[in-house]
Amino acid sequence: MRTSIAAKILFASFIALALFLMVLPTLIVFPMSVGTSNYLEFPPKGFTLDWFVAYFGDEEWMGATWFSLKVACATTLAATAIGTMASIALVRGRLPGKSLIYALTLSPMIIPHIVIAVALYLFFAPLRLTGNFYGFLIAHTLLAVPFVVLTVSAALQRFDPMLELAAQSCGANSIQTFYHVMLPGIVPGVAAGAVFAFLTSFDEATVAFFISGLEGKTITRKMFEDIDFNLTPIIAAVSTVIVGASLLLMTAVHFLQNRQRG
Amino acid sequence: MGQSVEIKDVWKSFGGFDAVRSATVKIQAGEFLSLLGPSGSGKSTLLMMVAGFLQPTSGKILIGDEDVTAVPANRRGIGMVFQKYALFPHMTVFENIAFPLKMRKLRRSEIESRVGQALDLVKLRDLGSRLPIQLSGGQQQRVAVARALVFEPPVLLMDEPLGALDKKLREEMQFEIKNLQQSLGVTMVYVTHDQEEALTMSDRVAVMNHGEMQQIADPKTLYREPGSPFVADFVGKMNLIEVTYVDQTASGALLKTAGGNRFSIQNLAVSTPDPERPMKIAARPETIALSRRNETSGTLLEGTIHQCVFMGSMTMVQVIVGPEDEVVYVQTEADASYKPGEVAYLEFDGSRTSLFAHGPDEN
Amino acid sequence: MSIKEPHNAGRSDSRILYGAGMSWSLILPWLGLLVVGFAYPVFKLLSGSFFDDGFTLVHYQRAVTEPLYTAVLLRTLRIALIVTVCALLVGYPIAYAISKLVRPWSMVVAACVLIPFWTSILVRSYAWIVLLQRKGLINTLLIDLGVTSEPLRLLYTEFAVILAMTHVLLPFLILPVYGALKTIPADLPMAAYNLGATPIKVFWKVVFPLSLPGVFAGCLITFILALGFYITPALVGGPNSLMMATLIGQQTTQVLNWPFAGALATILLITTVVLAVMFRTLLAKNRGFSSGI
């Protein structure tokens, strides 16, 4: 082939540089979180775990973290259940206007979150649902269900409907068929959907910014405030914790997705 | 023991299209009935309705004396073997076969002994702890059969169960399934598009086309006296030649091909001798005699040898008759030595040749 | 219904296992949530923009005539467009590299794309602040290389917004382009080589045209998401790089002019929906987006 070696090297270094810039912002938080300096500085000097200690010792940070975790866990449960049920109806059910319902289902992913955020803020405020656990649960479940529907309906489409017929011919009713045959078949998809739902809620910042209150405040809202007003290295420590947890979950999803293909 | 299955004037339409039209058949207890037809003929749709997975648009389905048309699939108590077996991939062989018993809430000890018997029945005694993915195609097939039989259903349905197996294994399994069915006395409804399979296994075969049951008969009758050109063509190798009736002569009915060749057939029963009406004669390759000279008293159909194909126990000769290259297949003894281009004469056996009126609605 | 379809009709029917009653009860919780938590609030927000003691278009008039707001509208469109072009220029080669490389290298590149995808947007905004500030990595590097003697003002500028947004949105462009590239049969480029084309010609005449559906889909989703971006511009941008979403937020929580916020939201929403409908049509032609790497 006539592609010159120089061109190949040029292309490879472009890719390498682009990839480096892509992962750099994720990786940079690790050294930042252990630097001793009190203000932003790169490369950081020294080594300390003080910022982690500060994070875990700060009441407000911990409150926001627990609130986020609580909301994310409840969202995961609600979105996984609601989304799985909806997927079954959409893939295997008899419904009129399925494609319209499907488009509506995915719309919270595409509609700008600022619009949803402002709309929910104006809706929740008079109902005293801002800064409220249930307000967050509604908002985040709404945002998370589309991801669950995407992964679960993909799993259902790969799942052989003949197996369900076989279960019925063996005498199983709809519930037994779901529990004994369908669910074990799509469980990797459901689990992946659950992880997506968790991350969607835990990482969600735009809606959380608007519907947080003084009491009920998510970790994303707390981070936003701190980045905007007093940029302390605690943020780097928090970021490190979040990135570490996200990477673990992401690896889990990767293995879950590979399992169903096997 | 088996129970009878009665299908009474069953129709199924999908959005205005009739997939099954007025299917009616009574399958006796313990009978082996095949539904034979090309893909899209409605045979699988009919089976799905018997199983209870599809609701007939109209008509009734009875098992024994009970009308089960409105009974859901899981309460019909019918065993079913699916095209690609549909074994539950996350369950072992044992768990797969135990599943129908678990659904019927049998005691654990009872389940174990009956699954054991079922495994013996299909000769898989030692494979109970394997997962389906660890089995060969033939073994998976056997597990599917065992799962369908373990709860001793009176009726067993099979939807092209051998389609995924290679030829040798398929023939082996045909005999095994047939033996199993006979020894258990279970009523069998068997869907296949393979006419050879239907003929070897069945007590009766129902041939379906375009949603209609064209003919229901035992294999011999089906082969020898096909009820329609479609059945004649679909079951076994068949020559269909377009002709018109000319006259009745001393040497039998005198016919004329579309190309104008005249020939006569002894002992051919022509019910409505009408020279205006186009007809089709149907003759199997083994019922036609081929000769180099026209030595009989009658008029034989003249043709040109196109090709000879040696097939082991016999040779299949392709003879071109008429100007439009219509090919007639003739079966001769294995060492017949015709050369392409040679002129040859075809003699039809009137008692083994069928005659069909060529209606406008046939293709 | 045409007579030609019976086969599909029969087959699709066999996938349907649940009757209408069961199906509705399965989907009802979700439809309820969609109505209560989404359709109704959004409808209220939008409809509020048309009323001010009776029907009025005054808020829309204001949005498109007052220079301050038209500037924001145009800036949002401009930034979204620049971000999309930048993402395409960087993302296409990366997608191409993933499709060409063999394991484990393709996995390494794919991981480099997915790691930022999964990193919290706040973490990434924070990281860009660290990188772009006066004593940040970029300025240190520029001074060390002798490009500049004084640290440059990078943070809180339109440049910072474009850079950070491109970074956030790159995976949304890379995944559909990769999906399109992956579906090109390997023997097509081979055939072109065989017919005597040079590698560059093969790329421009065979590979690139076939990947266009993925490029369009990727560009559209990037553009749509860029239009409505809130967090990143709010943190790394300054007053001179104010965008639509931030403006809507300000009008809601600071100015408390909700009908006007509603009007701005309506403009943003309609633009998005029009683009999304286009996106769906393209996605139907090219189903690569959801496929995992």
Side-chain angles (χ1 to χ4, degrees):
Chain A
M1 310 265 154
R2 288 199 8 232
T3 318
S4 66
I5 302 289
K8 271 191 171 167
I9 290 176
L10 204 68
F11 183 73
S13 22
F14 174 81
I15 296 290
L17 180 68
L19 291 176
F20 174 71
L21 283 175
M22 280 193 83
V23 291
L24 181 66
T26 306
L27 301 182
I28 200 174
V29 299
F30 292 106
M32 287 301 292
S33 65
V34 293
T36 46
S37 153
N38 209 341
Y39 51 90
L40 288 184
E41 184 179 46
F42 199 91
K45 296 182 183 67
F47 179 87
T48 175
L49 291 176
D50 285 356
W51 309 118
F52 288 92
V53 175
Y55 165 55
F56 287 107
D58 185 296
E59 207 175 300
E60 209 184 331
W61 274 113
M62 279 295 104
T65 308
W66 282 118
F67 187 73
S68 272
L69 280 175
K70 242 168 60 187
V71 169
C73 287
T75 299
T76 306
L77 284 179
T80 308
I82 293 175
T84 303
M85 281 159 64
S87 310
I88 293 171
L90 283 168
V91 178
R92 293 279 206 269
R94 192 181 303 276
L95 287 175
K98 259 191 197 177
S99 56
L100 180 72
I101 298 181
Y102 201 69
L104 258 173
T105 298
L106 299 187
S107 58
M109 283 171 78
I110 296 173
I111 303 269
H113 282 190
I114 182 72
V115 175
I116 301 175
V118 170
L120 283 176
Y121 170 71
L122 295 180
F123 178 51
F124 282 170
L127 300 172
R128 294 172 183 273
L129 276 172
T130 50
N132 179 291
F133 171 79
Y134 295 100
F136 271 101
L137 183 59
I138 291 174
H140 281 180
T141 304
L142 178 84
L143 296 175
V145 165
F147 289 96
V148 177
V149 170
L150 273 183
T151 55
V152 174
S153 57
L156 274 173
Q157 250 135 20
R158 281 198 294 270
F159 186 74
D160 184 2
M162 284 299 150
L163 292 179
E164 289 157 72
L165 296 188
Q168 287 181 26
S169 84
C170 287
N173 61 32
S174 316
I175 292 166
Q176 288 167 321
T177 302
F178 173 76
Y179 182 74
H180 291 291
V181 175
M182 192 202 262
L183 190 59
I186 61 168
V187 87
V190 174
V195 174
F196 280 113
F198 183 88
L199 286 174
T200 302
S201 168
F202 195 78
D203 278 350
E204 202 288 318
T206 308
V207 175
F209 179 83
F210 284 89
I211 66 170
S212 281
L214 284 176
E215 293 298 309
K217 183 188 281 185
T218 62
I219 192 165
T220 49
R221 163 83 195 220
K222 172 75 180 142
M223 282 176 83
F224 190 101
E225 287 170 3
D226 277 43
I227 293 172
D228 221 12
F229 300 121
N230 51 339
L231 213 50
T232 65
I234 294 185
I235 298 166
V238 178
S239 297
T240 300
V241 173
I242 294 178
V243 168
S246 298
L247 289 184
L248 272 179
L249 279 174
M250 178 181 143
T251 320
V253 173
H254 178 78
F255 282 110
L256 284 172
Q257 282 182 334
N258 278 0
R259 242 185 59 188
Q260 202 190 0
R261 281 180 208 135
Chain B
M1 275 296 107
Q3 274 189 344
S4 65
V5 176
E6 203 173 346
I7 299 166
K8 275 187 174 169
D9 193 22
V10 164
W11 291 70
K12 178 70 191 177
S13 358
F14 294 112
F17 168 79
D18 295 327
V20 173
R21 307 175 193 205
S22 187
T24 300
V25 59
K26 174 148 186 173
I27 306 154
Q28 302 300 330
E31 189 182 356
F32 192 125
L33 180 101
S34 287
L35 298 174
L36 173 67
S39 64
S41 60
K43 57 189 192 305
S44 287
T45 308
L46 185 58
L47 193 78
M48 288 289 167
M49 288 191 282
V50 175
F53 299 133
L54 285 178
Q55 269 295 308
T57 309
S58 71
K60 275 185 182 165
I61 293 165
L62 282 78
I63 294 177
D65 295 325
E66 193 198 345
D67 183 349
V68 296
T69 317
V71 177
N74 57 321
R75 288 199 224 114
R76 288 199 186 181
I78 298 179
M80 177 138 179
V81 176
F82 292 83
Q83 223 169 63
K84 285 169 195 143
Y85 322 133
L87 299 177
F88 307 127
H90 59 290
M91 297 183 196
T92 63
V93 167
F94 183 95
E95 287 165 338
N96 261 285
I97 301 174
F99 189 74
L101 304 176
K102 232 171 96 184
M103 291 303 109
R104 287 170 174 74
K105 307 221 158 47
L106 264 60
R107 269 180 293 111
R108 177 122 205 106
S109 55
E110 172 90 16
I111 291 179
E112 268 172 33
S113 78
R114 282 175 70 168
V115 173
Q117 285 167 16
L119 280 169
D120 282 348
L121 200 63
V122 295
K123 301 172 204 153
L124 289 176
R125 176 189 278 275
D126 304 322
L127 300 182
S129 56
R130 298 258 185 106
L131 285 172
I133 202 167
Q134 300 167 308
L135 301 180
S136 71
Q139 289 168 332
Q140 290 185 25
Q141 166 67 46
R142 288 193 168 101
V143 176
V145 171
R147 185 180 66 184
L149 283 172
V150 71
F151 56 99
E152 294 171 2
V155 179
L156 189 57
L157 309 180
M158 293 199 178
D159 187 5
E160 310 222 7
L162 306 178
L165 303 180
D166 61 54
K167 193 171 179 333
K168 196 159 176 291
L169 195 55
R170 196 159 65 218
E171 282 166 6
E172 235 175 85
M173 287 302 295
Q174 285 173 7
F175 282 105
E176 270 187 46
I177 290 174
K178 177 72 184 165
N179 285 339
L180 215 55
Q181 181 263 336
Q182 275 178 332
S183 63
L184 296 173
V186 62
T187 309
M188 172 80 92
V189 185
Y190 190 99
V191 163
T192 180
H193 66 266
D194 181 343
Q195 45 96 14
E196 226 178 288
E197 195 168 289
L199 293 182
T200 38
M201 297 176 82
S202 320
D203 297 321
R204 279 195 300 162
V205 180
V207 182
M208 294 191 67
N209 190 34
H210 296 310
E212 271 172 354
M213 282 197 178
Q214 298 249 335
Q215 189 175 6
I216 306 168
D218 63 276
K220 266 185 198 152
T221 311
L222 204 65
Y223 191 79
R224 291 188 182 155
E225 298 159 36
S228 69
F230 174 79
V231 175
D233 194 29
F234 194 72
V235 178
K237 187 107 195 131
M238 181 67 90
N239 295 299
L240 286 167
I241 308 163
E242 231 170 278
V243 296
T244 44
Y245 176 78
V246 179
D247 199 4
Q248 194 69 35
T249 65
S251 52
L254 187 63
L255 306 171
K256 191 174 75 179
T257 64
N261 279 2
R262 283 164 183 248
F263 64 107
S264 58
I265 303 178
Q266 285 278 8
N267 304 327
L268 183 70
V270 186
S271 50
T272 50
D274 179 359
E276 295 302 308
R277 199 145 167 228
M279 298 183 293
K280 269 182 181 172
I281 58 167
R284 303 246 176 239
E286 68 269 23
T287 66
I288 306 173
L290 192 64
S291 55
R292 287 205 168 78
R293 269 181 289 278
N294 188 353
E295 282 167 341
T296 52
S297 52
T299 324
L300 301 188
L301 181 58
E302 191 185 304
T304 317
I305 303 290
H306 175 59
Q307 207 179 358
C308 293
V309 181
F310 175 68
M311 299 181 82
S313 57
M314 48 99 173
T315 290
M316 192 63 86
V317 185
Q318 298 172 16
V319 187
I320 294 177
V321 296
E324 276 172 40
D325 290 353
E326 290 141 286
V327 174
V328 174
Y329 290 81
V330 181
Q331 185 177 323
T332 63
E333 73 266 30
D335 34 7
S337 57
Y338 290 93
K339 295 201 171 46
E342 237 182 302
V343 172
Y345 296 91
L346 307 172
E347 187 180 353
F348 292 88
D349 178 349
S351 61
R352 291 155 80 190
T353 302
S354 313
L355 194 58
F356 299 108
H358 188 45
D361 55 353
E362 272 153 25
N363 44 3
Chain C
M1 283 292 141
S2 78
I3 286 289
K4 298 278 171 214
E5 277 178 339
H7 227 77
N8 294 335
R11 202 171 294 155
S12 68
D13 199 273
S14 79
R15 295 189 77 95
I16 303 249
L17 298 172
Y18 299 100
M22 184 78 162
S23 306
W24 280 114
S25 47
L26 281 169
I27 204 161
L28 217 59
W30 172 229
L31 291 183
L33 183 64
L34 264 179
V35 170
V36 174
F38 181 61
Y40 174 71
V42 170
F43 172 77
K44 251 191 98 180
L45 171 70
L46 303 190
S47 63
S49 67
F50 292 103
F51 294 100
D52 219 357
D53 297 331
F55 181 81
T56 176
L57 285 175
V58 66
H59 304 295
Y60 290 90
Q61 209 174 5
R62 208 174 141 216
V64 294
T65 50
E66 250 181 65
L68 175 67
Y69 302 127
T70 50
V72 172
L73 282 176
L74 291 177
R75 182 186 301 122
T76 306
L77 286 172
R78 188 181 70 232
I79 290 181
L81 194 67
I82 294 172
V83 166
T84 307
V85 171
C86 291
L88 179 63
L89 292 179
V90 180
Y92 194 102
I94 294 179
Y96 185 75
I98 304 176
S99 75
K100 279 284 159 226
L101 288 171
V102 290
R103 276 170 185 250
W105 291 108
S106 63
M107 299 286 286
V108 171
V109 178
C112 289
V113 174
L114 290 175
I115 285 172
F117 190 60
W118 281 115
T119 303
S120 163
I121 200 142
L122 282 154
V123 172
R124 284 188 279 173
S125 301
Y126 166 71
W128 281 115
I129 291 173
V130 171
L131 289 169
L132 293 175
Q133 47 143 333
R134 279 181 67 82
K135 287 187 188 169
L137 186 63
I138 309 251
N139 265 325
T140 317
L141 211 66
L142 290 178
I143 291 169
D144 286 355
L145 289 173
V147 178
T148 174
S149 52
E150 278 293 297
L152 296 175
R153 188 181 139 78
L154 299 169
L155 198 56
Y156 310 124
T157 62
E158 202 173 297
F159 167 76
V161 172
I162 290 170
L163 181 64
M165 278 176 66
T166 306
H167 176 248
V168 170
L169 293 173
L170 254 176
F172 291 96
L173 189 125
I174 292 174
L175 293 180
V177 172
Y178 166 73
L181 286 170
K182 199 179 62 171
T183 56
I184 299 175
D187 47 359
L188 278 185
M190 294 284 192
Y193 283 126
N194 195 297
L195 296 171
T198 62
I200 290 179
K201 272 213 173 114
V202 169
F203 178 79
W204 287 112
K205 300 272 175 195
V206 179
V207 177
F208 186 71
L210 285 172
S211 68
L212 275 180
V215 170
F216 284 135
C219 285
L220 256 174
I221 187 92
T222 307
F223 190 75
I224 287 173
L225 292 173
L227 281 181
F229 235 66
Y230 181 72
I231 296 294
T232 308
L235 286 175
V236 303
N240 290 329
S241 52
L242 186 68
M243 285 178 75
M244 271 291 263
T246 319
L247 182 63
I248 295 173
Q250 281 180 0
Q251 293 293 325
T252 310
T253 54
Q254 291 163 29
V255 186
L256 303 182
N257 189 346
W258 297 336
F260 185 55
L264 293 172
T266 309
I267 294 170
L268 183 59
L269 191 69
I270 288 173
T271 318
T272 308
V273 168
V274 169
L275 290 170
V277 170
M278 286 165 67
F279 175 68
R280 260 181 74 82
T281 347
L282 286 169
L283 201 66
K285 286 183 199 153
N286 172 50
R287 321 207 122 262
F289 185 68
S290 59
S291 63
I293 294 178

